[in-house]
Amino acid sequence: MIRKILSKGGKTENILVSIGPHIGMCCYDVSPDRALVFQKIYGFDTRITAYYDQKWHLDLGYINYLQLRRANILPKNIDAPVICSSCRVKEFYSYRKDTNQSYGENLGIIAFN
């Protein structure tokens, strides 16, 4: 999306991004193989992959933040609250925790002027 905005004449300093509620590292456990893929891409950084409770965990929000920074989006233009949709199922739907009966939808919006 950033590349598309830039191709239309946008400037990175004018791009504002919000990383919405998503599963947090606290609840997003992954296989050792999946953790290794991210360690190969980003190095061993405990903000990205961490081993605790006998499982590997992954922080998708922080990975998105890093990708935005690598695309030269200014830190002050990235809103990234740490809100785990899996922990806060009364406020947000969670693909991992909801059932067919309780699952709902989340909405993301992209605007370009």
Side-chain angles (χ1 to χ4, degrees):
M1 182 51 64
I2 302 296
R3 283 191 295 270
K4 187 67 159 178
I5 291 170
L6 297 176
S7 76
K8 299 291 184 183
K11 297 185 182 339
T12 56
E13 61 267 18
N14 296 330
I15 298 174
L16 306 175
V17 180
S18 178
I19 299 173
H22 56 280
I23 192 166
M25 180 184 271
C26 52
C27 294
Y28 191 47
D29 57 276
V30 296
S31 69
D33 291 344
R34 174 71 62 190
L36 184 60
V37 168
F38 285 90
Q39 290 168 354
K40 284 181 179 177
I41 295 169
Y42 295 100
F44 188 80
D45 182 337
T46 56
R47 293 171 296 178
I48 297 170
T49 58
Y51 188 79
Y52 59 90
D53 294 336
Q54 299 180 341
K55 299 176 195 169
W56 281 100
H57 294 259
L58 186 62
D59 190 333
L60 296 174
Y62 188 65
I63 292 166
N64 278 279
Y65 176 84
L66 290 178
Q67 291 174 338
L68 291 164
R69 289 295 298 127
R70 288 180 178 179
N72 295 317
I73 303 302
L74 300 172
K76 69 177 187 167
N77 290 354
I78 303 171
D79 179 39
V82 181
I83 300 173
C84 177
S85 58
S86 185
C87 286
R88 295 170 68 173
V89 292
K90 290 185 179 187
E91 298 168 71
F92 304 102
Y93 295 110
S94 172
Y95 181 80
R96 280 197 165 192
K97 291 226 174 150
D98 283 316
T99 64
N100 287 339
Q101 294 76 29
S102 66
Y103 181 75
E105 307 240 345
N106 295 310
L107 174 69
I109 299 172
I110 299 171
F112 178 57
N113 184 1

